[in-house]
Amino acid sequence: MQGLDREIRVAGEAKAVRTVRLRLPATSANLGPGFDAIGLALTLALEVEATAADSFSVHATGRNVDICSSLTGNLLIETYLSTQAANGLARPVPLALRVDNGIPLGMGCGSSAAVRLAGVALASHFAGLGWDRGRILTEASLLERHPDNAAACWLGGLAVATIEDGRVHAATIKPAVEWRILLALPQLPLATSKARAILPSNCSREDAVANIQRAALLTAAFSLGRGDLLRVAMQDRLHQPFRGELCPLLPVLLPLAGQEGILGVALSGAGPAVLLIVESAAAVPQARARIMQLAAGCAGMELVECGIELEGAAVA
């Protein structure tokens, strides 16, 4: 990893090791018509500080502390270990981890992509693999199986990604806009596997064409800062109509697109959170009031405001 001290302590041999700090943003993948193709980086973030230690430990703060602080079934540690094992390191360096999590878990906000990227980046550093940012993105995407999520987290902005021959090809748009994001989070999480299982295996040519048109329009809207296009550009026929029964906030909030300063509405990732793009900070209070009014019957809903993360993941 460029800019990092790659020396490590292996099998008792003392070598200089720097503490590594990562900041990885939340994301909304599958954005509108961009199923498995388009993701948006958000200013909510997972922050990780890692130092070589004699044994693994995790000190966690922020959201979902019980999950983030566990040594059992910890996706960050599992990714770190499996990546090193796959590259021939028999005795991985244990880490003392400090984790501050700002990404809601199980809500479709890219928490697993952020954790996968953190685990791969740390494995590259502490094993001295020397992977560049492109290789780290590819390795994490192959584990995550959703390159749109991983690319948006790693690159920032509105990211478009695909995998060919085991390599991620991605590009990002970083719009110069004042748009704000409101995330409507229901009380209960939703497993991505469950949200994916409900989707049909085939679609009509008409629906496929409609999504291709809107996905192209969506990337143009972000590139040009054309908020007036988002109401139509964020419409979808491939996944949102089927996930509505698992994501109760979606059918309630979709009609808000084009109203009260709300430019566009889409499911965040596989749900159940709903993402609403608001034209400016000044329009947020009115948009928030309207959302709360429509979702009054959805007990336990949390409404989180954030921005679009333009820079992507930070490593220091």
Side-chain angles (χ1 to χ4, degrees):
M1 296 171 60
Q2 186 176 3
L4 294 181
D5 178 2
R6 299 193 183 100
E7 288 190 301
I8 59 174
R9 182 176 59 194
V10 180
E13 181 183 356
K15 294 185 179 181
V17 181
R18 277 182 48 181
T19 294
V20 179
R21 296 177 181 86
L22 308 171
R23 184 182 185 278
L24 301 114
T27 56
S28 285
N30 301 325
L31 190 65
F35 181 65
D36 277 355
I38 301 175
L40 181 66
L42 309 175
T43 52
L44 307 176
L46 169 70
E47 298 185 9
V48 179
E49 180 180 288
T51 305
D54 294 326
S55 62
F56 283 99
S57 64
V58 184
H59 174 74
T61 56
R63 290 180 176 269
N64 305 103
V65 168
D66 54 336
I67 297 174
C68 295
S69 61
S70 176
L71 290 176
T72 303
N74 188 304
L75 185 59
L76 197 163
I77 295 174
E78 289 179 353
T79 302
Y80 173 80
L81 292 175
S82 65
T83 300
Q84 293 201 15
N87 287 275
L89 188 67
R91 300 181 63 182
V93 179
L95 299 178
L97 297 165
R98 299 182 66 86
V99 175
D100 184 20
N101 179 41
I103 305 177
L105 302 188
M107 289 288 165
C109 298
S111 58
S112 64
V115 169
R116 293 284 195 193
L117 282 161
V120 171
L122 292 175
S124 172
H125 171 67
F126 286 101
L129 299 175
W131 289 347
D132 62 18
R133 290 181 66 93
R135 177 69 183 272
I136 292 170
L137 173 58
T138 289
E139 295 292 332
S141 297
L142 292 174
L143 292 173
E144 181 67 10
R145 295 182 295 177
H146 304 295
D148 50 338
N149 241 339
C153 179
W154 200 235
L155 303 176
L158 183 85
V160 182
T162 189
I163 297 177
E164 182 184 47
D165 297 329
R167 180 188 171 199
V168 171
H169 300 265
T172 183
I173 298 169
K174 302 186 177 184
V177 294
E178 298 181 357
W179 301 341
R180 298 294 293 168
I181 305 297
L182 288 173
L183 284 171
L185 309 175
Q187 191 171 27
L188 298 177
L190 174 64
T192 300
S193 57
K194 186 175 181 180
R196 189 164 286 263
I198 202 171
L199 300 181
S201 57
N202 297 293
C203 67
S204 69
R205 179 184 297 180
E206 181 182 2
D207 287 344
V209 170
N211 264 53
I212 292 170
Q213 291 171 337
R214 284 161 176 78
L217 188 63
L218 181 60
T219 57
F222 268 79
S223 180
L224 299 172
R226 290 280 304 276
D228 58 300
L229 297 176
L230 293 183
R231 182 186 65 80
V232 172
M234 290 177 69
Q235 294 173 2
D236 164 77
R237 296 190 189 182
L238 297 188
H239 68 109
Q240 292 185 169
F242 309 100
R243 287 171 165 168
E245 64 182 83
L246 299 177
C247 306
L249 286 173
L250 183 63
V252 172
L253 299 180
L254 271 178
L256 284 177
Q259 301 180 28
E260 312 294 348
I262 298 170
L263 301 174
V265 181
L267 199 62
S268 184
V274 175
L275 175 141
L276 303 97
I277 300 180
V278 182
E279 63 184 358
S280 67
V284 166
Q286 187 175 1
R288 181 185 291 271
R290 184 62 173 142
I291 293 166
M292 297 300 294
Q293 181 185 27
L294 282 187
C298 300
M301 185 193 76
E302 180 185 3
L303 201 55
V304 177
E305 180 184 353
C306 60
I308 298 172
E309 170 59 56
L310 298 182
E311 299 306 317
V315 183

